[in-house]
Amino acid sequence: MSSSPATLPVTNQQATQSQPPINSHAFRTFLSRLSSSLRESLSQRRPWLELVDRSSFARPDSLTDSFTRIRKNLAYFKVNYSLIVSLVLAFSLLSHPFSLLVLLSLLGSWIFLYLFRSSDQPLVLFGRTFSDRETLLALVLTTIVVVFMTSVGSLLTSALTIGVAIVCLHGAFRVPDDLFLDEQEGSANAGLLSFIGNSAAASVVAGRV
């Protein structure tokens, strides 16, 4: 009597497509809006030769005159000043690679773990599922520790202080009498940070839906 060969159990497995760890659509939308905002802001920068025109520098008559000049120059050279502060920050971070690596890791954590993570993919670490509230709390606490309890915070503070000091020094000695700022343009342009903030908010809302 011949025995029939053993039949191996077959499970009907459906092919599942692996989804990306982040909401790629929301992330691309954010990058697109950010790029457009940066281009629009940079297009409104003033000529650098106008910024450093030596004939337009004079000592302020009083402290009040200094504040008036700074206010007018900030309104006129706001994009140029933003670039100067950004360059000081970039130079400081590049001269301290460890701090730069820490900040990039923190930024990546926010992007991949919360801001642009797909809403249908819960965060699972070490076999435990974390809710959005727990993830947000952990990221906030990590950010506080990194910024206020490490050398990263002092580095950023020093760089920002130097950048703001350069801007205030230039604004106080640059005579703004020859500067003409279109009030309509000034009110329409909310600045670089508002562009980035609006883009990020809209993209994050799209990513959490």
Side-chain angles (χ1 to χ4, degrees):
M1 181 176 181
S2 61
S3 59
S4 60
T7 304
L8 296 176
V10 178
T11 58
N12 186 14
Q13 297 179 348
Q14 296 180 350
T16 58
Q17 296 180 349
S18 60
Q19 296 182 355
I22 64 174
N23 190 324
S24 57
H25 174 70
F27 190 61
R28 286 195 300 266
T29 301
F30 169 74
L31 291 180
S32 177
R33 293 182 178 180
L34 178 61
S35 177
S36 300
S37 300
L38 288 174
R39 286 196 300 268
E40 183 175 353
S41 297
L42 291 176
S43 66
Q44 297 175 3
R45 74 179 186 274
R46 308 298 177 178
W48 291 104
L49 291 178
E50 186 178 4
L51 186 76
V52 296
D53 185 9
R54 296 178 60 182
S55 62
S56 299
F57 286 88
R59 185 176 180 179
D61 297 331
S62 62
L63 188 60
T64 303
D65 186 28
S66 299
F67 285 128
T68 302
R69 290 184 180 184
I70 292 174
R71 179 177 56 82
K72 292 182 178 179
N73 284 316
L74 278 175
Y76 189 80
F77 292 113
K78 56 181 175 292
V79 177
N80 302 74
Y81 287 158
S82 298
L83 291 174
I84 291 174
V85 175
S86 299
L87 287 175
V88 173
L89 278 172
F91 178 78
S92 299
L93 290 174
L94 289 175
S95 60
H96 296 79
F98 176 75
S99 298
L100 178 60
L101 180 61
V102 171
L103 283 179
L104 289 178
S105 300
L106 184 61
L107 177 62
S109 299
W110 276 98
I111 291 176
F112 288 98
L113 299 182
Y114 187 77
L115 293 178
F116 298 103
R117 179 171 52 84
S118 299
S119 58
D120 57 346
Q121 286 191 341
L123 178 62
V124 180
L125 293 177
F126 306 108
R128 185 182 185 279
T129 302
F130 292 85
S131 65
D132 287 345
R133 180 176 298 180
E134 292 173 331
T135 303
L136 177 61
L137 179 60
L139 287 173
V140 169
L141 292 177
T142 303
T143 302
I144 293 175
V145 171
V146 169
V147 173
F148 294 102
M149 299 183 182
T150 66
S151 59
V152 175
S154 59
L155 175 64
L156 294 177
T157 302
S158 301
L160 286 175
T161 302
I162 295 174
V164 171
I166 294 174
V167 169
C168 291
L169 186 64
H170 178 275
F173 283 85
R174 176 62 162 84
V175 180
D177 295 341
D178 60 336
L179 304 181
F180 299 96
L181 177 64
D182 188 353
E183 295 182 356
Q184 183 177 1
E185 175 189 350
S187 60
N189 179 23
L192 182 61
L193 292 179
S194 64
F195 279 129
I196 297 176
N198 292 337
S199 300
S203 299
V204 168
V205 170
R208 308 310 296 176
V209 174

